[in-house]
Structure formats: structure tokens, C-alpha cells
Amino acid sequence: MIAVLRRRLETHMKTNFINFLGIQNDAKFFVGPPPGRAGPANAMGSLMSEFQKEDAALEYVYCRGAVTELLKYGQTDLHTTKNSNSPQVLILIIPGNPGVVGFYKTFMWTLYQAFHRRFPVWAVSHAGHCVPPDTMDMVEDAPVAESEDVFGLNGQIEHKLSFVSKHVPRDTHLVLIGHSIGCYIILEMMKRDPELKVVKSVLLFPTIERMASSPQGKVMTPVLCHLRYVVYLPIFLLSLLPERLKAGMVQLVLRNMRSLDTSCIPATLSLINVDCAANAMYMGSQEMRMVLDRDNLTIQQHLDKLVFYYGATDHWCPVQYYQDIRRDFPDGDIRLCERGLRHAFVLDAGEEMANMITEWIRDDLRGL
């Protein structure tokens, strides 16, 4: 009986977390140094890297009345006194869905190091996609949060604009990096607040059009729009398990990953929470209904500031979408992945992706 229950729980987690993250199940799980790199030196280097990544500051704030998790490398308060001889620069990560900043830790650390710790690198979670600390509730005022639909897609866009308005000085130069639906949010931010001092926006695996019509969208739309309530009870039951058992189950679910970034395990564990999962799925249901036609006008207005990076095997934004946008914007910086990276690159290729982005934006930041 226990074995049957375990198999059912594992299947449930795969269906409702792996597919939602856009993970492809074609890689092989590997614990330790990648093949061909075994040895004490590499093991020690990996261990040191994990310790170094702990330098990040983790904060929880209310933004538009909803609990929000912030992960920060470098300066944590941009409103403090700064050197007036050089403009302030912030690299800001807008995550995909689920919007858990812990997934981006290695990615952020690599970016921070690549520019010699000169520029702060922050990530802001989506509203309600994090487990609040004991001293906070999910929302400050539930009726207000409901009336403003803070957990919906439009509410999440306004949430990011509100965060920038409150926590980032107006004269700060921004490098915006979006992942998946975070790309759609960035385009909306640039559209709604054209005075933002955006130096560059890098859009990774951009779900900015026809989400429900994509191969993964056709699978997930019925789940997110009509069946998500069925998922809540199993998630609640999973949440009652001891932390060690949940961690073991997460590793079991991700066992096919060839080189899993272990810093993603706590982030995945945080999703075994009914409130967080419900908010993520609710936002996902709106994505399927609202992300329809590509916003060509906004793209054209900001084309010189945009970098698009499409996956070659991405079931959320297939190669056809890449070909279509290349045809419509032949002068744009629109790239197709040649490295076989998955949509959920943060699980095993955060460092690799960050190194690529460093080269793309280096010249833009050289004079700042």
C-alpha cells in the first residue's frame, strides 16, 4: 500500500510540477561532478561554489499587499548614498512561472561574478509564489488583494512595476532579464512605463505569444484552466510529509537530470505548498487565456534594447515562433539555441546561460 501511494505521489509531482516548469525528461540524472570531470579538485570547487552562493541576501517584503521574496547579490539598498560620478546599474531578473527566485541562484551568482561584483543582481518573485516567514501572511489585506487580482497575470505585471518604483531609484540603469512568462511581463513593463532607463532586456525562452496553442500549452491549458482544483488535495497531503522525505521525493522526480543544480532542490520543495501552487496555477490559467498575439508595436519601439533567445526543442515557444519573429523583425537580435538547453535552463544550465548573457550585454555596460 505504501509503495502504491509513493508511486502515485511521484506521478502526481511529475505531472503537475515537471510539466509546469517545462522540463524535458530526456536527460540523465547525475550526482556529483559531470562525467569526465571526476576528482577531488572538482568536488572541492563545487563545494566552494555552493558556499560562495550563500552570500546572497534573502528578503521578504509586501509589494502591492502580497508577500514577495527577493534574492540579492551585491548592494541590497539602492537608495543609499552612491558614487555620483557613475550611474547606478541594476541587473533585475523576472522569473518564469512558478516565480521562485531560488531557482535562479547559480544563474545570478555567475552574472554577479562575471562583472567582478560591480553591478548588483536581484531577482523578485511573483506575488504569492513563496512561502512567507512565520512573521508574515501571504497577503496584508485579503479583500484588497482579491479586488486588485494581485495573483493574476495583470496583477503580477503591476506588482513588478510597483516593486521597481519603490525599491529602485528612478535614475537607475536597468538590465532586465526575463525567463518564460517573465519576458511577457518585461515587455509590458516597458510598454506601461516608457521612462524606465532600460539599457537592455534579455528575453530567455520567451512565452510572449500563442501560449495555449503551443505543444505544451495544449497539454497544460485544460489542467490549469479547468482541473487545477483537483491538484490541491494531493499537494496538501504532500506538504504534510517530513522535509527529508519531501527532499528525497524531489530528487527522485528529478532523477533523470544529468547534472541537476542542487540549489534548485529547496526551490522545488517550496512549491509543495497549497497556497504557492494555487497562486502559480491561477497565474498560469490566465497566461493561457491572455498571452495570445505578440505585441509587435512594443517590440518595434524597443527593438534595439531587446535580445530574444529561443530554444531549439522548447514546447512552450517552438521553433516556428522563432522563425515567425525573425521574419517580422529581421534587424532584431533574435537567437536560436545551439546548445540543447531546455526551457527550464535553471535546473542544470544556469551558469552556462549566465556566461552567454555576459557576452551579449558586456558592451552595453562597458561605459556605465
Side-chain angles (χ1 to χ4, degrees):
M1 181 67 182
I2 295 176
V4 172
L5 177 60
R6 180 176 176 177
R7 285 196 299 271
R8 288 181 179 176
L9 290 175
E10 178 186 350
T11 301
H12 162 75
M13 291 177 70
K14 283 183 179 180
T15 301
N16 296 290
F17 287 114
I18 299 303
N19 284 340
F20 197 56
L21 286 165
I23 300 170
Q24 307 300 311
N25 295 313
D26 55 357
K28 294 183 179 179
F29 181 74
F30 184 85
V31 178
R37 299 185 191 177
N42 284 288
M44 181 61 70
S46 176
L47 183 61
M48 289 177 64
S49 176
E50 287 301 317
F51 278 122
Q52 288 170 332
K53 284 186 286 187
E54 294 302 324
D55 292 340
L58 187 63
E59 301 176 11
Y60 292 89
V61 299
Y62 283 118
C63 183
R64 288 183 66 84
V67 69
T68 305
E69 187 176 25
L70 310 176
L71 189 65
K72 299 179 178 180
Y73 281 104
Q75 189 176 355
T76 58
D77 186 354
L78 300 184
H79 288 284
T80 57
T81 304
K82 59 184 177 66
N83 183 359
S84 60
N85 294 325
S86 60
Q88 202 163 24
V89 177
L90 172 65
I91 300 175
L92 181 63
I93 315 298
I94 308 297
N97 185 5
V100 180
V101 295
F103 283 118
Y104 298 84
K105 197 170 188 182
T106 296
F107 176 69
M108 294 170 63
W109 165 254
T110 307
L111 281 172
Y112 184 54
Q113 291 294 320
F115 290 102
H116 309 289
R117 306 190 182 200
R118 182 182 172 194
F119 308 124
V121 181
W122 293 3
V124 53
S125 79
H126 295 319
H129 287 210
C130 59
V131 180
D134 293 339
T135 56
M136 301 176 72
D137 295 320
M138 185 65 78
V139 294
E140 283 185 298
D141 189 326
V144 171
E146 184 176 356
S147 65
E148 295 184 355
D149 196 21
V150 68
F151 301 133
L153 182 54
N154 183 69
Q156 298 287 2
I157 296 166
E158 292 298 326
H159 172 266
K160 305 307 174 295
L161 288 170
S162 179
F163 170 80
V164 171
S165 175
K166 183 175 181 179
H167 295 272
V168 181
R170 196 63 179 170
D171 61 347
T172 301
H173 291 256
L174 293 169
V175 174
L176 302 176
I177 301 177
H179 175 210
S180 192
I181 194 61
C183 304
Y184 180 89
I185 291 174
I186 284 176
L187 289 177
E188 283 294 318
M189 290 172 67
M190 297 173 73
K191 175 182 179 178
R192 299 183 191 192
D193 189 355
E195 299 304 315
L196 288 174
K197 293 185 179 298
V198 178
V199 177
K200 211 75 173 179
S201 288
V202 181
L203 310 182
L204 305 174
F205 305 94
T207 52
I208 58 174
E209 59 175 308
R210 295 177 282 174
M211 282 192 70
S213 301
S214 68
Q216 194 70 12
K218 291 177 180 178
V219 173
M220 293 304 295
T221 295
V223 175
L224 294 171
C225 295
H226 306 295
L227 302 175
R228 66 179 187 272
Y229 303 102
V230 179
V231 178
Y232 296 165
L233 178 58
I235 292 177
F236 172 72
L237 295 176
L238 282 169
S239 70
L240 300 178
L241 297 175
E243 291 300 315
R244 186 170 181 176
L245 180 56
K246 287 189 287 188
M249 294 185 68
V250 167
Q251 290 182 326
L252 183 65
V253 169
L254 300 177
R255 68 183 183 275
N256 289 331
M257 298 289 296
R258 181 174 60 85
S259 52
L260 176 67
D261 183 346
T262 55
S263 68
C264 290
I265 292 177
T268 306
L269 281 171
S270 72
L271 295 173
I272 307 178
N273 175 281
V274 174
D275 291 333
C276 296
N279 292 336
M281 291 181 185
Y282 173 64
M283 178 181 172
S285 70
Q286 291 201 348
E287 292 171 32
M288 299 305 114
R289 295 186 173 104
M290 295 173 61
V291 182
L292 303 173
D293 297 328
R294 188 191 332 127
D295 187 354
N296 289 336
L297 181 58
T298 298
I299 292 173
Q300 186 62 60
Q301 288 175 340
H302 301 283
L303 190 60
D304 60 328
K305 297 180 180 179
L306 300 175
V307 178
F308 295 87
Y309 189 78
Y310 282 82
T313 57
D314 188 348
H315 297 303
W316 279 113
C317 37
V319 174
Q320 182 63 52
Y321 292 11
Y322 159 78
Q323 295 170 342
D324 292 345
I325 194 172
R326 281 275 296 176
R327 180 196 64 228
D328 294 342
F329 298 98
D331 297 327
D333 189 347
I334 305 169
R335 305 163 186 247
L336 183 66
C337 177
E338 298 178 349
R339 303 185 179 215
L341 303 187
R342 68 184 77 243
H343 185 92
F345 72 90
V346 291
L347 294 174
D348 59 355
E351 182 177 355
E352 184 177 0
M353 180 63 76
N355 286 330
M356 285 193 289
I357 292 175
T358 299
E359 296 306 313
W360 301 345
I361 66 176
R362 191 183 298 278
D363 289 342
D364 297 283
L365 296 179
R366 197 180 301 278
L368 300 179

